[in-house]
Amino acid sequence: MTSRYHEVYAAGKADPETFWAEAARDIDWIKPWDKVFDAEAGVYGRWFAGAECNTCFNALDRHVACGRADQLALIYDSAMRGTVRKFTYAEMKREVVALASVLKNQGVQKGDRVIIYMPMVPEAVFSMLACARLGAIHSVVFGGFAARELATRIDDATPKLIISASCGLEPGRTVAYKPLLDGAIGMAHHKVGRCLILQRDQQRCDLVEGRDLDFADQVARERAAGANVDCVPVKATDPLYVLYTSGTTGQPKGVVRDNGGHMVALKWSMENEFGIKPGEVFWAASDVGWVVGHSYIVYAPLLHGCTTVLFEGKPVGTPDAGTFWRVIAEHGVVALFTAPTAFRAIKGQDPLGSFVPKYDLKKFRTLFLAGERADPPTLEWAERMLGVPVIDHWWQTETGHPITQNPVGLGRLPVKHGSPGVPMPGFDVQVLDDAGHPVVRGTLGNVVLKLPLPPGCLPTLWNADQRFRDAYLAEFPGYYKTADAGLVDGDGYLFIMARTDDIINVAGHRLSTGGMEEVLAEHQNVAECAVIGIADAMKGQVPCGFVVLNAGVNRDAVEVEREIVALVRDRIGAVAALKTVVVIKRLPKTRSGKILRATMQKIADREPWTMPATIDDPAILDEIAAALAGRGIGGEGAVVSR
Ligand code: COA
Ligand code: AMP
């Protein structure tokens, strides 16, 4: 099939308003827009200004009304528990309506925030949709974050109510959520008056008298009473959700997603970018706490009338490296979306792919990878083992859907290993030097997106227009800064090489080294510190901390390391995955006092590096190399050119 990509992309560029107005015909609107794009509204303009709609209606009600009532909407497959639960569109609507009624009884109204801190259970999806039904704004917090991270989000989002569960299930351990929730509520300045707690049999919890309600009891009562809650009309430009993502400090950024543009962009992407037809089974193996989960576990598949798979488990160890193939075969999955790290984990345990032939993968057509760089060896391995196209694509929490892709729905372009594809309609991707000038094609630079961003992207940060301008729009006027560095080749394919800020990508999870440094600095014995991301065969990168102890402190380095690792786990959460902290005498700095993190990272990763001309004392880098070598990192193999 010849690809329609070039023609469609050109149409989107020539007349964005006509292009997106056409795409918007696939959504049911309560009131049409006054303007497809209002350049005067918001920070850089707003899409579908004046329109009214409801996202839950488009995800559930209209499918129930139009012949999909008995089609499966959601398959919950828990490899942790060995159970499967299935919900048709009609059943899911019943659950969501009952839950919306519970929320309404608790006073949740349009515009109120609701935090959802839950494991991968269907009730997490119902909670998101129940909020959408009421026009309330959900903010899902990933279960791997600790109490303090949750408290920060409570204070920023100021929720009326929190929905949580008694526990999450990780291999070999049950994670009690309730102490984390109670701890966070205790720490937060904003006082939350009501929590709805899902009791899971694996570990139940005590409910706080007068504050906590039992999720299942409340929903059952509303269901039995036949409660009905209609979808509340909201403006297309009203927020559907706020999702916090790592910034350059410990204060996360609340990415705002609107209702109208989000629906239009996601629905369009399912057919044209992912090549999925309504009625097919789509699986995003991520977590509802991340943007991939929001967009491609919950909203896009449901808006498109697909069956979505909600998987509670890991690619390996639950119980083995064949789990992904079992889920695909058992549920008739046509496309899987996950992070490359999942495939590195599978490849590590089953390099010959011996589990693959045990399952019937006939329906499986495409593997989509994103969230971090897809290294060509892993990508090629996946292609060989599965015999399907493997499509790398690049986007961010902020954009909500792919910026670049190889659009299989429009007709696949040749795959270039190492590249996440070409720009999708609405995204004008450019590469600029540090002074803001376009670079020569093929040259590395700052990857930026020309404003305005297309529908579905963040219009701003929650309650922080100025932070949005400062963080994303100020450095390159007229452009959105992605904070990724990369290049565009002669065929228009993008290659992403690195972040330009202190964000690292650990097992597909976006983390701030700056945020971790704030925690290291809290330790009573630490005078100075630095955290860098170093290469890891499975997770892509892992954090590595360096600490200089206060003068006069003469403690055992192993003990200090253990305390700091525990501190980061306690403050940020297990997901931070900080396991290595090296005690050193001094940090390498420039003469103006800037810590040379990039050079330290090159030494750790055995990459060639040159001695920075501005370094204060070159001998310190030798000390760092020796300290790392002592931990089996970098060291001898490092290539140094001075
Ligand atoms: N609740 C509580 N703890 C959690 C958690 C959750 N929802 N998710 C992860 N954690 C914990 C893990 O148990 C682990 O704890 P440990 O240090 O005690 O072992 C820690 O956080 C780090 O988790 P992770 O980095 O995910 O490592 P892992 O070894 O548990 O799993 C992979 C590694 C590659 C198998 C896993 O990250 C994975 O499946 N990734 C691919 C899919 C994905 O998540 N993509 C994200 C965006 S698309
Ligand atoms: P997140 O907001 O968690 O989705 O993380 C977004 C960041 O992950 C991007 O800015 C990139 O740094 C990185 N990323 C996501 N997808 C890719 C990809 N396909 N290739 C390279 N990096 C990626």
Side-chain angles (χ1 to χ4, degrees), residues 291 370-373 392-398 420 484 496 499 505 510:
V291 72
E372 53 166 333
R373 183 169 178 272
D392 180 12
H393 58 301
W394 167 69
W395 50 295
Q396 311 183 305
T397 304
E398 289 85 344
D484 278 316
I496 293 292
R499 287 286 299 196
N505 207 313
R510 174 169 158 178

Short mmCIF file of all heavy atoms in Angstrom, two decimals, residues 291 370-373 392-398 420 484 496 499 505 510, ligand 2:
data_model
loop_
_atom_site.label_atom_id
_atom_site.label_comp_id
_atom_site.label_asym_id
_atom_site.label_seq_id
_atom_site.Cartn_x
_atom_site.Cartn_y
_atom_site.Cartn_z
N VAL A 291 1.18 8.94 31.07
CA VAL A 291 0.39 9.46 29.96
C VAL A 291 0.01 8.36 28.97
O VAL A 291 -1.07 8.38 28.39
CB VAL A 291 1.13 10.62 29.26
CG1 VAL A 291 2.31 10.13 28.45
CG2 VAL A 291 0.17 11.42 28.39
N ALA A 370 7.45 3.17 22.57
CA ALA A 370 7.72 4.60 22.87
C ALA A 370 8.02 4.75 24.35
O ALA A 370 7.94 3.78 25.11
CB ALA A 370 6.53 5.47 22.49
N GLY A 371 8.35 5.96 24.74
CA GLY A 371 8.61 6.27 26.15
C GLY A 371 10.09 6.47 26.40
O GLY A 371 10.49 7.10 27.36
N GLU A 372 10.92 5.92 25.54
CA GLU A 372 12.37 6.06 25.64
C GLU A 372 12.92 5.62 24.28
O GLU A 372 12.17 5.08 23.44
CB GLU A 372 12.92 5.14 26.74
CG GLU A 372 12.44 3.71 26.52
CD GLU A 372 13.17 2.65 27.33
OE1 GLU A 372 14.32 2.85 27.69
OE2 GLU A 372 12.55 1.61 27.56
N ARG A 373 14.20 5.82 24.07
CA ARG A 373 14.80 5.47 22.80
C ARG A 373 14.71 3.94 22.59
O ARG A 373 15.02 3.16 23.49
CB ARG A 373 16.27 5.91 22.79
CG ARG A 373 16.93 5.63 21.50
CD ARG A 373 18.29 6.31 21.40
NE ARG A 373 18.89 5.96 20.13
CZ ARG A 373 19.64 4.88 19.94
NH1 ARG A 373 19.89 4.06 20.94
NH2 ARG A 373 20.13 4.60 18.74
N ASP A 392 8.62 2.48 16.26
CA ASP A 392 9.06 3.38 17.32
C ASP A 392 8.36 4.73 17.09
O ASP A 392 8.23 5.18 15.95
CB ASP A 392 10.59 3.53 17.20
CG ASP A 392 11.20 4.44 18.25
OD1 ASP A 392 10.51 4.80 19.21
OD2 ASP A 392 12.39 4.80 18.08
N HIS A 393 7.90 5.36 18.14
CA HIS A 393 7.32 6.69 17.98
C HIS A 393 7.65 7.53 19.21
O HIS A 393 7.90 7.01 20.29
CB HIS A 393 5.83 6.64 17.68
CG HIS A 393 5.02 5.93 18.71
ND1 HIS A 393 5.21 4.62 19.06
CD2 HIS A 393 3.99 6.35 19.47
CE1 HIS A 393 4.34 4.28 19.99
NE2 HIS A 393 3.60 5.30 20.26
N TRP A 394 7.64 8.85 19.01
CA TRP A 394 8.17 9.76 20.03
C TRP A 394 7.12 10.79 20.43
O TRP A 394 6.50 11.40 19.56
CB TRP A 394 9.40 10.47 19.44
CG TRP A 394 9.88 11.65 20.23
CD1 TRP A 394 10.48 11.64 21.46
CD2 TRP A 394 9.85 13.02 19.82
NE1 TRP A 394 10.81 12.91 21.83
CE2 TRP A 394 10.45 13.78 20.84
CE3 TRP A 394 9.39 13.67 18.68
CZ2 TRP A 394 10.57 15.16 20.77
CZ3 TRP A 394 9.52 15.05 18.61
CH2 TRP A 394 10.11 15.78 19.65
N TRP A 395 6.92 10.91 21.73
CA TRP A 395 6.04 11.96 22.24
C TRP A 395 6.33 12.18 23.70
O TRP A 395 7.28 11.62 24.23
CB TRP A 395 4.57 11.67 21.94
CG TRP A 395 4.00 10.32 22.28
CD1 TRP A 395 4.35 9.12 21.71
CD2 TRP A 395 2.96 10.02 23.22
NE1 TRP A 395 3.59 8.11 22.24
CE2 TRP A 395 2.73 8.63 23.17
CE3 TRP A 395 2.19 10.78 24.09
CZ2 TRP A 395 1.76 7.99 23.96
CZ3 TRP A 395 1.22 10.15 24.87
CH2 TRP A 395 1.02 8.77 24.79
N GLN A 396 5.50 12.99 24.33
CA GLN A 396 5.74 13.38 25.73
C GLN A 396 4.41 13.50 26.47
O GLN A 396 3.37 13.67 25.82
CB GLN A 396 6.38 14.77 25.78
CG GLN A 396 7.56 14.96 24.88
CD GLN A 396 8.19 16.33 25.05
OE1 GLN A 396 7.49 17.33 24.93
NE2 GLN A 396 9.48 16.37 25.32
N THR A 397 4.49 13.47 27.77
CA THR A 397 3.29 13.70 28.58
C THR A 397 2.59 14.97 28.09
O THR A 397 1.36 15.02 27.99
CB THR A 397 3.69 13.88 30.06
OG1 THR A 397 4.42 12.73 30.47
CG2 THR A 397 2.47 14.06 30.96
N GLU A 398 3.36 15.96 27.77
CA GLU A 398 2.81 17.27 27.39
C GLU A 398 1.98 17.19 26.11
O GLU A 398 0.99 17.90 25.97
CB GLU A 398 3.95 18.28 27.19
CG GLU A 398 4.65 18.72 28.48
CD GLU A 398 5.77 17.78 28.92
OE1 GLU A 398 5.83 16.62 28.43
OE2 GLU A 398 6.58 18.18 29.76
N PRO A 420 12.35 7.45 15.53
CA PRO A 420 10.93 7.29 15.85
C PRO A 420 10.01 7.89 14.78
O PRO A 420 8.88 8.25 15.07
CB PRO A 420 10.80 8.02 17.18
CG PRO A 420 11.83 9.08 17.14
CD PRO A 420 12.96 8.57 16.27
N ASP A 484 14.31 17.84 24.21
CA ASP A 484 15.04 16.72 23.62
C ASP A 484 15.99 17.29 22.59
O ASP A 484 15.69 18.28 21.92
CB ASP A 484 14.07 15.74 22.93
CG ASP A 484 13.42 14.79 23.92
OD1 ASP A 484 14.14 14.27 24.79
OD2 ASP A 484 12.21 14.57 23.82
N ILE A 496 16.10 11.05 17.94
CA ILE A 496 16.21 11.67 19.26
C ILE A 496 17.46 11.13 19.94
O ILE A 496 17.62 9.91 20.05
CB ILE A 496 14.95 11.35 20.11
CG1 ILE A 496 13.70 12.03 19.52
CG2 ILE A 496 15.14 11.76 21.57
CD1 ILE A 496 13.69 13.55 19.61
N ARG A 499 18.22 14.16 26.27
CA ARG A 499 17.49 15.28 26.86
C ARG A 499 18.45 16.45 27.04
O ARG A 499 19.65 16.24 27.25
CB ARG A 499 16.95 14.90 28.24
CG ARG A 499 15.79 13.94 28.28
CD ARG A 499 14.46 14.51 27.87
NE ARG A 499 13.96 15.61 28.69
CZ ARG A 499 12.69 16.01 28.67
NH1 ARG A 499 11.79 15.41 27.90
NH2 ARG A 499 12.29 17.02 29.41
N ASN A 505 15.44 8.83 31.91
CA ASN A 505 14.39 7.90 31.56
C ASN A 505 14.75 6.52 32.09
O ASN A 505 15.65 5.88 31.58
CB ASN A 505 14.27 7.89 30.04
CG ASN A 505 12.90 7.53 29.61
OD1 ASN A 505 12.34 6.56 30.12
ND2 ASN A 505 12.33 8.29 28.68
N ARG A 510 9.78 8.67 33.50
CA ARG A 510 10.46 9.97 33.43
C ARG A 510 10.74 10.48 34.83
O ARG A 510 9.82 10.68 35.62
CB ARG A 510 9.53 10.91 32.66
CG ARG A 510 9.96 12.32 32.59
CD ARG A 510 9.09 13.02 31.57
NE ARG A 510 9.08 14.43 31.78
CZ ARG A 510 8.41 15.27 30.99
NH1 ARG A 510 7.70 14.82 29.99
NH2 ARG A 510 8.45 16.56 31.22
P1 AMP B 2 7.11 11.12 29.06
O1 AMP B 2 6.64 12.50 29.24
O2 AMP B 2 7.20 10.34 30.32
O3 AMP B 2 6.36 10.39 27.99
O4 AMP B 2 8.62 11.23 28.55
C1 AMP B 2 8.90 11.94 27.39
C2 AMP B 2 10.35 11.83 27.06
O5 AMP B 2 10.71 10.45 26.87
C3 AMP B 2 10.69 12.50 25.75
O6 AMP B 2 10.87 13.89 25.90
C4 AMP B 2 11.95 11.76 25.36
O7 AMP B 2 13.06 12.25 26.07
C5 AMP B 2 11.66 10.35 25.82
N1 AMP B 2 11.07 9.56 24.72
C6 AMP B 2 9.78 9.21 24.57
N2 AMP B 2 9.61 8.45 23.46
C7 AMP B 2 10.83 8.34 22.89
C8 AMP B 2 11.32 7.69 21.70
N3 AMP B 2 10.52 6.98 20.93
N4 AMP B 2 12.63 7.80 21.42
C9 AMP B 2 13.47 8.52 22.21
N5 AMP B 2 13.06 9.13 23.36
C10 AMP B 2 11.76 9.05 23.69
#
